[in-house]
Amino acid sequence: MSRKDLSKAELYEAVKTLVETDINHIHLCQQKLFTLFSIAFQYLLYRSTKDPGHYIIRVEDSYLADKLARKAKDETTRKFTQKLLLPRRLKYQASTFHLDFFHLNTWNITKDLPREKVIAALIVKNTSNAPLDDNVFIENPEEAAMLSDLPKDYFLHSLTEFVPKTITIAFNQTFEGLSEVKFPFIKETAEVINGVRIAADINMNDLD
């Protein structure tokens, strides 16, 4: 357990806030990226046990995904994300979690999922301003032309157009169609709070 993990009480109350909100497309806009990721991921884990199906986690790039796996603010989220990094698909109880990135060539698995069985998605953005700009595409004129024609924030709206529940983590940005949710214990200048991990009852042996 990291000494900087969220307390179980804080994580529980934050997840409870997400469970009880009637907002379909949530924007977590505060500055504590790894704290917000733990909260949103724990919500997805909880939801997956109540509403089995497919859950998509779309992270800006593999570098950020690796950081989330190391620095999330609870042990369960770190372990789960580490297992998800490869092969980017992980079954948990009756649900399946899928990981892709903001780059179109990583959407091969998630784009073919039956839409009616996708329950929720978590989108995590870093601080870069060109999330679909990648060397793979720049070197390919056809791909570059396709990217230039994509709607703004396509990495996000390609999910919100059909996924009934989405949570987007992005600091200091605004997105059309999303409503902000803030957690009062996250302060602009607050120190990270010490504590213990949540979800101690989750059996990591349930992960395939």
Side-chain angles (χ1 to χ4, degrees), residues 105-183:
N105 63 343
T106 69
W107 298 3
N108 293 331
I109 296 176
T110 52
K111 70 180 178 62
D112 293 328
L113 295 175
R115 291 192 168 196
E116 70 278 6
K117 294 184 179 180
V118 178
I119 308 301
L122 170 59
I123 302 98
V124 188
K125 192 178 187 314
N126 214 331
T127 56
S128 64
N129 293 319
L132 287 173
D133 183 13
D134 184 81
N135 289 334
V136 172
F137 300 132
I138 294 173
E139 294 172 358
N140 185 324
E142 292 182 1
E143 296 281 9
M146 181 180 67
L147 287 175
S148 67
D149 293 334
L150 288 177
K152 185 177 185 296
D153 299 328
Y154 186 67
F155 67 93
L156 168 63
H157 296 305
S158 60
L159 291 176
T160 58
E161 68 181 8
F162 77 94
V163 180
K165 187 80 169 189
T166 67
I167 301 175
T168 300
I169 300 174
F171 175 61
N172 200 28
Q173 298 189 44
T174 58
F175 299 99
E176 183 179 355
L178 273 58
S179 300
E180 292 183 354
V181 171
K182 294 184 178 181
F183 303 104

Coordinates of all heavy atoms in Angstrom, one line a residue, residues 105-183:
N105 N -5.6 3.4 -34.7 CA -5.1 2.1 -35.0 C -5.1 1.2 -33.7 O -4.8 0.0 -33.8 CB -3.7 2.1 -35.6 CG -2.7 2.7 -34.7 OD1 -3.0 3.4 -33.7 ND2 -1.4 2.5 -35.0
T106 N -5.6 1.7 -32.6 CA -5.7 0.9 -31.4 C -7.2 0.5 -31.1 O -7.5 -0.1 -30.1 CB -5.2 1.6 -30.1 OG1 -6.1 2.7 -29.8 CG2 -3.8 2.1 -30.3
W107 N -8.1 1.0 -32.0 CA -9.5 0.8 -31.8 C -10.0 -0.5 -32.4 O -11.3 -0.7 -32.6 CB -10.3 1.9 -32.3 CG -10.0 3.2 -31.7 CD1 -9.1 3.5 -30.7 CD2 -10.6 4.5 -31.9 NE1 -9.1 4.8 -30.3 CE2 -10.0 5.5 -31.1 CE3 -11.6 4.9 -32.8 CZ2 -10.4 6.8 -31.1 CZ3 -12.0 6.3 -32.8 CH2 -11.3 7.2 -32.0
N108 N -9.1 -1.4 -32.9 CA -9.5 -2.6 -33.6 C -10.5 -3.5 -32.8 O -11.4 -4.1 -33.3 CB -8.3 -3.4 -34.1 CG -7.5 -2.7 -35.1 OD1 -8.0 -1.9 -35.9 ND2 -6.2 -2.9 -35.1
I109 N -10.2 -3.6 -31.5 CA -11.0 -4.4 -30.6 C -12.3 -3.7 -30.2 O -13.4 -4.2 -30.4 CB -10.3 -4.8 -29.4 CG1 -9.0 -5.7 -29.7 CG2 -11.2 -5.6 -28.4 CD1 -8.2 -6.1 -28.5
T110 N -12.2 -2.5 -29.8 CA -13.4 -1.8 -29.2 C -14.4 -1.4 -30.3 O -15.6 -1.3 -30.0 CB -13.0 -0.6 -28.4 OG1 -12.1 0.2 -29.2 CG2 -12.2 -1.1 -27.1
K111 N -13.9 -1.1 -31.5 CA -14.9 -0.7 -32.5 C -15.8 -1.8 -33.0 O -16.9 -1.5 -33.5 CB -14.1 -0.1 -33.7 CG -13.4 -1.2 -34.6 CD -12.7 -0.5 -35.7 CE -11.9 -1.5 -36.6 NZ -12.7 -2.5 -37.2
D112 N -15.5 -3.1 -32.7 CA -16.3 -4.2 -33.2 C -17.1 -4.8 -32.0 O -17.8 -5.7 -32.2 CB -15.4 -5.3 -33.7 CG -14.8 -4.9 -35.0 OD1 -15.4 -4.1 -35.8 OD2 -13.6 -5.3 -35.3
L113 N -17.1 -4.1 -30.8 CA -17.9 -4.6 -29.7 C -19.4 -4.4 -30.1 O -19.7 -3.3 -30.7 CB -17.6 -3.9 -28.4 CG -16.2 -4.2 -27.9 CD1 -15.9 -3.3 -26.7 CD2 -16.0 -5.6 -27.5
P114 N -20.3 -5.3 -29.7 CA -21.7 -5.0 -29.8 C -22.1 -3.8 -29.0 O -22.0 -3.8 -27.8 CB -22.4 -6.3 -29.4 CG -21.4 -7.0 -28.5 CD -20.0 -6.6 -29.0
R115 N -22.6 -2.8 -29.7 CA -22.8 -1.5 -29.0 C -23.8 -1.6 -27.8 O -23.7 -0.9 -26.8 CB -23.3 -0.4 -30.0 CG -22.2 0.0 -31.0 CD -22.6 1.2 -31.8 NE -21.4 1.7 -32.5 CZ -21.4 3.0 -33.0 NH1 -22.4 3.8 -32.9 NH2 -20.3 3.4 -33.6
E116 N -24.8 -2.5 -28.0 CA -25.8 -2.6 -27.0 C -25.3 -3.2 -25.7 O -25.9 -3.1 -24.6 CB -27.0 -3.4 -27.5 CG -26.8 -4.8 -27.7 CD -26.1 -5.2 -29.0 OE1 -25.7 -4.2 -29.8 OE2 -26.0 -6.4 -29.3
K117 N -24.1 -3.8 -25.8 CA -23.5 -4.5 -24.6 C -22.4 -3.6 -24.0 O -21.8 -4.1 -23.0 CB -23.0 -5.9 -25.0 CG -24.1 -6.8 -25.4 CD -23.6 -8.2 -25.6 CE -24.8 -9.2 -26.0 NZ -24.3 -10.5 -26.3
V118 N -22.1 -2.5 -24.5 CA -21.1 -1.6 -23.9 C -21.8 -0.7 -22.9 O -22.7 0.1 -23.2 CB -20.4 -0.7 -25.0 CG1 -19.5 0.3 -24.3 CG2 -19.7 -1.5 -26.0
I119 N -21.5 -0.9 -21.6 CA -22.2 -0.3 -20.5 C -21.7 1.1 -20.1 O -22.4 2.0 -19.9 CB -22.1 -1.2 -19.3 CG1 -22.6 -2.7 -19.6 CG2 -23.0 -0.7 -18.1 CD1 -24.0 -2.8 -20.2
A120 N -20.3 1.2 -20.1 CA -19.7 2.5 -19.7 C -18.3 2.6 -20.3 O -17.7 1.6 -20.7 CB -19.7 2.6 -18.2
A121 N -17.8 3.8 -20.3 CA -16.5 4.1 -20.8 C -15.8 5.1 -19.9 O -16.5 6.1 -19.4 CB -16.5 4.5 -22.2
L122 N -14.5 5.0 -19.7 CA -13.7 6.0 -19.0 C -12.6 6.5 -20.0 O -11.9 5.7 -20.6 CB -13.0 5.3 -17.8 CG -11.9 6.1 -17.0 CD1 -12.5 7.4 -16.5 CD2 -11.4 5.2 -15.9
I123 N -12.6 7.8 -20.1 CA -11.7 8.5 -21.0 C -10.7 9.3 -20.2 O -11.2 10.1 -19.4 CB -12.4 9.4 -22.1 CG1 -13.4 8.5 -22.9 CG2 -11.4 10.0 -23.0 CD1 -14.9 8.6 -22.4
V124 N -9.4 9.1 -20.4 CA -8.5 9.9 -19.6 C -7.5 10.6 -20.5 O -6.8 10.0 -21.3 CB -7.6 8.9 -18.7 CG1 -6.8 9.7 -17.7 CG2 -8.6 7.9 -17.9
K125 N -7.5 11.9 -20.4 CA -6.7 12.8 -21.2 C -5.6 13.4 -20.4 O -5.7 13.8 -19.3 CB -7.6 13.9 -21.8 CG -6.9 14.7 -22.9 CD -7.7 15.8 -23.5 CE -7.0 16.4 -24.8 NZ -5.6 16.7 -24.5
N126 N -4.4 13.4 -21.1 CA -3.3 14.1 -20.5 C -3.3 15.6 -20.9 O -4.4 16.1 -21.2 CB -2.0 13.5 -21.1 CG -0.8 13.4 -20.1 OD1 -0.8 14.3 -19.2 ND2 0.0 12.4 -20.2
T127 N -2.2 16.3 -20.9 CA -2.2 17.7 -21.1 C -1.9 18.1 -22.5 O -1.9 19.3 -22.8 CB -1.2 18.4 -20.2 OG1 0.1 17.8 -20.4 CG2 -1.6 18.2 -18.7
S128 N -1.7 17.2 -23.4 CA -1.3 17.5 -24.8 C -2.5 18.1 -25.5 O -3.7 17.8 -25.2 CB -0.8 16.3 -25.6 OG -1.7 15.3 -25.7
N129 N -2.3 18.9 -26.6 CA -3.4 19.5 -27.3 C -3.8 18.8 -28.6 O -4.7 19.2 -29.3 CB -3.1 21.0 -27.6 CG -3.0 21.8 -26.3 OD1 -3.8 21.6 -25.4 ND2 -1.9 22.6 -26.2
A130 N -3.0 17.8 -29.0 CA -3.3 17.1 -30.3 C -3.3 15.6 -30.1 O -2.4 14.9 -30.5 CB -2.2 17.5 -31.3
P131 N -4.4 15.1 -29.4 CA -4.4 13.7 -29.0 C -4.4 12.7 -30.1 O -4.0 11.6 -30.0 CB -5.7 13.6 -28.2 CG -6.5 14.7 -28.7 CD -5.6 15.8 -29.0
L132 N -4.8 13.1 -31.3 CA -4.9 12.2 -32.5 C -3.7 12.4 -33.4 O -3.6 11.9 -34.5 CB -6.2 12.4 -33.2 CG -7.4 11.8 -32.5 CD1 -8.7 12.1 -33.3 CD2 -7.3 10.3 -32.4
D133 N -2.7 13.2 -33.0 CA -1.6 13.5 -33.8 C -0.4 12.5 -33.4 O 0.1 12.6 -32.3 CB -1.1 14.9 -33.6 CG 0.1 15.3 -34.5 OD1 0.4 14.5 -35.4 OD2 0.7 16.3 -34.3
D134 N -0.1 11.6 -34.2 CA 0.8 10.6 -33.9 C 1.7 10.3 -35.1 O 1.3 10.4 -36.2 CB 0.1 9.3 -33.5 CG 1.1 8.2 -33.0 OD1 1.5 8.2 -31.9 OD2 1.4 7.3 -33.8
N135 N 3.0 9.9 -34.8 CA 3.9 9.7 -35.9 C 3.4 8.7 -36.9 O 3.7 8.7 -38.1 CB 5.3 9.4 -35.4 CG 6.0 10.5 -34.7 OD1 5.7 11.7 -35.0 ND2 6.9 10.3 -33.7
V136 N 2.7 7.7 -36.4 CA 2.2 6.6 -37.3 C 1.4 7.2 -38.4 O 1.4 6.8 -39.5 CB 1.4 5.6 -36.5 CG1 0.7 4.6 -37.4 CG2 2.3 4.9 -35.5
F137 N 0.6 8.2 -38.0 CA -0.3 8.8 -38.9 C 0.4 9.8 -39.8 O 0.1 10.0 -41.0 CB -1.5 9.5 -38.2 CG -2.3 8.5 -37.4 CD1 -2.7 8.7 -36.1 CD2 -2.7 7.3 -37.9 CE1 -3.4 7.9 -35.3 CE2 -3.4 6.4 -37.2 CZ -3.8 6.7 -35.9
I138 N 1.3 10.6 -39.2 CA 2.0 11.6 -40.0 C 2.8 11.0 -41.1 O 2.9 11.6 -42.2 CB 2.9 12.4 -39.0 CG1 2.1 13.2 -38.0 CG2 3.8 13.3 -39.8 CD1 2.9 13.8 -36.9
E139 N 3.3 9.8 -40.9 CA 4.1 9.2 -41.9 C 3.3 8.6 -43.0 O 3.8 8.2 -44.1 CB 5.0 8.1 -41.3 CG 6.1 8.7 -40.4 CD 6.8 7.6 -39.6 OE1 6.5 6.4 -39.8 OE2 7.7 8.0 -38.8
N140 N 2.0 8.5 -42.8 CA 1.1 7.9 -43.8 C 0.1 9.0 -44.3 O -0.8 9.4 -43.6 CB 0.3 6.8 -43.1 CG -0.6 6.0 -44.1 OD1 -1.1 6.6 -45.0 ND2 -0.8 4.7 -43.9
P141 N 0.3 9.4 -45.5 CA -0.5 10.6 -46.0 C -2.0 10.3 -46.0 O -2.8 11.2 -45.7 CB 0.0 10.7 -47.5 CG 1.4 10.1 -47.5 CD 1.3 9.0 -46.5
E142 N -2.4 9.0 -46.3 CA -3.8 8.7 -46.2 C -4.4 8.8 -44.8 O -5.5 9.4 -44.6 CB -4.1 7.3 -46.8 CG -3.8 7.2 -48.3 CD -4.0 5.8 -48.8 OE1 -4.5 5.0 -48.0 OE2 -3.8 5.5 -50.0
E143 N -3.6 8.3 -43.9 CA -4.1 8.4 -42.5 C -4.1 9.9 -42.0 O -5.0 10.3 -41.3 CB -3.2 7.6 -41.6 CG -3.2 6.1 -41.8 CD -4.4 5.5 -41.2 OE1 -5.3 6.2 -40.7 OE2 -4.4 4.2 -41.2
A144 N -3.1 10.7 -42.4 CA -3.0 12.1 -42.0 C -4.2 12.8 -42.6 O -4.8 13.7 -41.9 CB -1.7 12.7 -42.5
A145 N -4.6 12.5 -43.8 CA -5.8 13.2 -44.4 C -7.0 12.8 -43.7 O -7.9 13.7 -43.5 CB -5.9 12.8 -45.9
M146 N -7.2 11.6 -43.3 CA -8.3 11.1 -42.6 C -8.5 11.8 -41.3 O -9.5 12.3 -40.8 CB -8.3 9.6 -42.4 CG -9.5 9.0 -41.6 SD -9.4 7.3 -41.4 CE -8.0 7.2 -40.3
L147 N -7.3 12.0 -40.6 CA -7.3 12.6 -39.3 C -7.7 14.1 -39.4 O -8.4 14.6 -38.5 CB -5.9 12.5 -38.6 CG -5.5 11.2 -38.1 CD1 -4.1 11.2 -37.6 CD2 -6.5 10.7 -37.0
S148 N -7.3 14.7 -40.4 CA -7.6 16.1 -40.6 C -9.1 16.4 -40.8 O -9.6 17.5 -40.5 CB -6.9 16.7 -41.8 OG -7.3 16.2 -43.0
D149 N -9.8 15.3 -41.2 CA -11.3 15.4 -41.4 C -12.1 15.0 -40.2 O -13.4 15.1 -40.3 CB -11.7 14.6 -42.7 CG -11.1 15.1 -44.0 OD1 -10.8 16.3 -44.0 OD2 -10.9 14.3 -44.9
L150 N -11.5 14.5 -39.2 CA -12.3 14.0 -38.0 C -12.9 15.2 -37.3 O -12.3 16.3 -37.2 CB -11.4 13.2 -37.1 CG -10.9 11.9 -37.6 CD1 -10.0 11.2 -36.6 CD2 -12.1 10.9 -37.9
P151 N -14.0 15.0 -36.7 CA -14.6 16.1 -35.9 C -13.8 16.4 -34.6 O -13.0 15.5 -34.2 CB -16.0 15.5 -35.4 CG -16.2 14.4 -36.4 CD -14.9 13.8 -36.8
K152 N -13.9 17.5 -34.1 CA -13.2 17.9 -32.9 C -13.5 16.9 -31.7 O -14.7 16.5 -31.5 CB -13.6 19.3 -32.4 CG -12.8 19.9 -31.3 CD -13.2 21.3 -31.0 CE -12.3 21.9 -29.9 NZ -12.5 21.3 -28.6
D153 N -12.5 16.6 -31.0 CA -12.6 15.6 -29.8 C -13.3 14.3 -30.2 O -14.0 13.7 -29.5 CB -13.4 16.3 -28.7 CG -12.8 17.6 -28.2 OD1 -11.5 17.6 -28.2 OD2 -13.5 18.5 -27.8
Y154 N -12.9 13.8 -31.4 CA -13.5 12.6 -31.9 C -13.2 11.4 -30.9 O -14.0 10.5 -30.8 CB -13.0 12.3 -33.3 CG -13.6 11.1 -33.9 CD1 -14.9 11.1 -34.3 CD2 -12.9 9.9 -34.2 CE1 -15.5 10.0 -34.9 CE2 -13.4 8.8 -34.8 CZ -14.8 8.9 -35.1 OH -15.4 7.8 -35.7
F155 N -12.0 11.4 -30.3 CA -11.6 10.4 -29.4 C -12.7 10.2 -28.2 O -12.8 9.1 -27.7 CB -10.2 10.6 -28.7 CG -10.2 11.8 -27.8 CD1 -10.4 11.7 -26.4 CD2 -10.0 13.1 -28.3 CE1 -10.4 12.8 -25.6 CE2 -10.0 14.2 -27.5 CZ -10.2 14.1 -26.1
L156 N -13.3 11.3 -27.9 CA -14.4 11.3 -26.9 C -15.7 11.1 -27.5 O -16.5 10.2 -27.0 CB -14.3 12.7 -26.2 CG -15.5 13.0 -25.2 CD1 -15.5 12.0 -24.1 CD2 -15.4 14.4 -24.7
H157 N -16.1 11.9 -28.4 CA -17.5 11.8 -28.9 C -17.8 10.5 -29.7 O -19.0 10.2 -29.9 CB -17.8 13.0 -29.8 CG -17.7 14.3 -29.0 ND1 -18.5 14.5 -27.8 CD2 -17.0 15.4 -29.1 CE1 -18.2 15.7 -27.3 NE2 -17.3 16.3 -28.1
S158 N -16.8 9.8 -30.2 CA -17.0 8.5 -30.8 C -17.5 7.5 -29.8 O -18.1 6.5 -30.2 CB -15.7 8.0 -31.5 OG -14.7 7.9 -30.5
L159 N -17.3 7.8 -28.5 CA -17.8 7.0 -27.4 C -19.2 7.5 -26.9 O -20.1 6.8 -26.7 CB -16.8 6.8 -26.3 CG -15.6 6.0 -26.6 CD1 -14.6 6.0 -25.5 CD2 -15.9 4.6 -27.0
T160 N -19.2 8.8 -26.7 CA -20.4 9.4 -26.1 C -21.6 9.2 -27.0 O -22.8 9.3 -26.5 CB -20.2 10.9 -25.7 OG1 -19.9 11.6 -26.9 CG2 -19.2 11.0 -24.6
E161 N -21.4 9.1 -28.3 CA -22.6 9.0 -29.2 C -23.3 7.6 -29.0 O -24.5 7.5 -29.4 CB -22.1 9.1 -30.6 CG -21.2 8.0 -31.1 CD -20.8 8.1 -32.6 OE1 -21.0 9.2 -33.1 OE2 -20.2 7.2 -33.1
F162 N -22.7 6.6 -28.4 CA -23.4 5.4 -28.2 C -23.3 4.8 -26.8 O -24.1 3.9 -26.4 CB -23.0 4.4 -29.3 CG -21.7 3.7 -29.0 CD1 -21.6 2.5 -28.4 CD2 -20.5 4.3 -29.5 CE1 -20.4 1.8 -28.2 CE2 -19.3 3.6 -29.3 CZ -19.3 2.4 -28.6
V163 N -22.3 5.1 -26.0 CA -22.1 4.5 -24.7 C -23.0 5.3 -23.7 O -22.9 6.5 -23.6 CB -20.6 4.6 -24.3 CG1 -20.5 4.0 -22.9 CG2 -19.7 3.9 -25.3
P164 N -23.9 4.6 -23.0 CA -24.8 5.3 -22.1 C -24.2 6.1 -20.9 O -24.8 7.0 -20.5 CB -25.8 4.2 -21.6 CG -25.0 2.9 -21.8 CD -24.1 3.1 -23.0
K165 N -23.1 5.6 -20.5 CA -22.4 6.3 -19.3 C -21.0 6.4 -19.6 O -20.2 5.5 -19.9 CB -22.6 5.4 -18.0 CG -22.1 6.1 -16.8 CD -23.1 7.1 -16.3 CE -22.8 7.6 -14.9 NZ -23.9 8.4 -14.3
T166 N -20.5 7.7 -19.6 CA -19.0 7.9 -19.8 C -18.5 8.9 -18.7 O -19.3 9.7 -18.2 CB -18.7 8.6 -21.1 OG1 -19.3 9.9 -21.2 CG2 -19.3 7.7 -22.3
I167 N -17.3 8.7 -18.3 CA -16.6 9.5 -17.4 C -15.3 10.0 -18.1 O -14.5 9.1 -18.5 CB -16.3 8.8 -16.1 CG1 -17.5 8.3 -15.4 CG2 -15.5 9.8 -15.1 CD1 -17.3 7.5 -14.2
T168 N -15.1 11.3 -18.2 CA -13.9 11.8 -18.8 C -13.1 12.6 -17.8 O -13.7 13.4 -17.1 CB -14.3 12.8 -20.0 OG1 -15.1 12.1 -21.0 CG2 -13.1 13.4 -20.6
I169 N -11.9 12.3 -17.7 CA -10.9 13.0 -16.8 C -10.1 13.9 -17.7 O -9.3 13.4 -18.5 CB -10.1 12.0 -16.0 CG1 -11.0 11.0 -15.2 CG2 -9.1 12.7 -15.1 CD1 -10.2 9.9 -14.5
A170 N -10.2 15.2 -17.5 CA -9.4 16.1 -18.2 C -9.4 17.4 -17.4 O -10.4 18.0 -17.2 CB -9.9 16.3 -19.6
F171 N -8.2 17.9 -17.1 CA -8.0 19.1 -16.3 C -7.9 20.3 -17.2 O -7.3 20.3 -18.3 CB -6.7 19.0 -15.5 CG -6.4 20.2 -14.7 CD1 -7.3 20.7 -13.7 CD2 -5.2 20.9 -15.0 CE1 -7.0 21.9 -13.0 CE2 -4.9 22.1 -14.2 CZ -5.8 22.5 -13.3
N172 N -8.7 21.4 -16.8 CA -8.6 22.7 -17.4 C -9.0 22.7 -18.9 O -8.5 23.3 -19.7 CB -7.2 23.2 -17.3 CG -7.1 24.7 -17.5 OD1 -8.1 25.4 -17.2 ND2 -6.0 25.2 -18.0
Q173 N -10.0 21.8 -19.1 CA -10.6 21.8 -20.5 C -12.1 21.7 -20.4 O -12.7 21.3 -19.4 CB -10.0 20.6 -21.3 CG -8.5 20.6 -21.5 CD -8.1 19.6 -22.4 OE1 -8.7 19.3 -23.4 NE2 -7.0 18.9 -22.0
T174 N -12.8 22.0 -21.5 CA -14.2 21.9 -21.6 C -14.6 21.0 -22.8 O -13.9 21.1 -23.8 CB -14.9 23.2 -21.7 OG1 -14.4 23.9 -22.9 CG2 -14.6 24.1 -20.5
F175 N -15.7 20.3 -22.7 CA -16.2 19.4 -23.8 C -17.7 19.6 -23.9 O -18.4 19.5 -22.9 CB -15.8 18.0 -23.5 CG -14.3 17.7 -23.4 CD1 -13.7 17.6 -22.1 CD2 -13.5 17.6 -24.5 CE1 -12.4 17.4 -22.0 CE2 -12.2 17.3 -24.4 CZ -11.6 17.2 -23.2
E176 N -18.1 19.7 -25.1 CA -19.5 19.8 -25.4 C -20.2 18.5 -25.0 O -19.8 17.4 -25.3 CB -19.8 20.1 -26.8 CG -21.2 20.3 -27.2 CD -21.4 20.6 -28.7 OE1 -20.4 20.8 -29.4 OE2 -22.6 20.7 -29.1
G177 N -21.4 18.7 -24.3 CA -22.2 17.5 -23.9 C -21.8 16.9 -22.6 O -22.5 15.9 -22.2
L178 N -20.8 17.3 -21.9 CA -20.4 16.8 -20.7 C -20.7 17.7 -19.5 O -20.7 19.0 -19.7 CB -18.8 16.5 -20.6 CG -18.3 15.2 -21.2 CD1 -18.8 15.0 -22.6 CD2 -16.8 15.1 -21.1
S179 N -21.0 17.2 -18.4 CA -21.3 17.9 -17.2 C -20.3 17.7 -16.1 O -20.0 16.5 -15.8 CB -22.7 17.6 -16.7 OG -23.7 17.9 -17.6
E180 N -19.8 18.7 -15.5 CA -18.8 18.6 -14.5 C -19.3 18.0 -13.2 O -20.4 18.3 -12.7 CB -18.1 19.9 -14.2 CG -17.3 20.4 -15.4 CD -16.6 21.7 -15.1 OE1 -16.8 22.3 -14.0 OE2 -15.8 22.2 -16.0
V181 N -18.5 17.1 -12.6 CA -18.7 16.7 -11.2 C -17.4 16.9 -10.4 O -16.3 16.5 -10.9 CB -19.1 15.2 -11.2 CG1 -19.1 14.6 -9.7 CG2 -20.4 14.9 -11.8
K182 N -17.5 17.5 -9.3 CA -16.3 17.8 -8.4 C -16.5 17.2 -7.1 O -17.6 17.0 -6.6 CB -16.1 19.3 -8.3 CG -15.8 20.0 -9.6 CD -15.5 21.5 -9.4 CE -15.1 22.2 -10.7 NZ -14.8 23.6 -10.5
F183 N -15.3 16.8 -6.5 CA -15.3 16.2 -5.2 C -14.7 17.2 -4.2 O -13.6 17.7 -4.4 CB -14.4 14.9 -5.2 CG -14.9 13.9 -6.2 CD1 -14.2 13.7 -7.4 CD2 -16.1 13.2 -6.0 CE1 -14.7 12.8 -8.4 CE2 -16.5 12.3 -7.0 CZ -15.8 12.1 -8.1

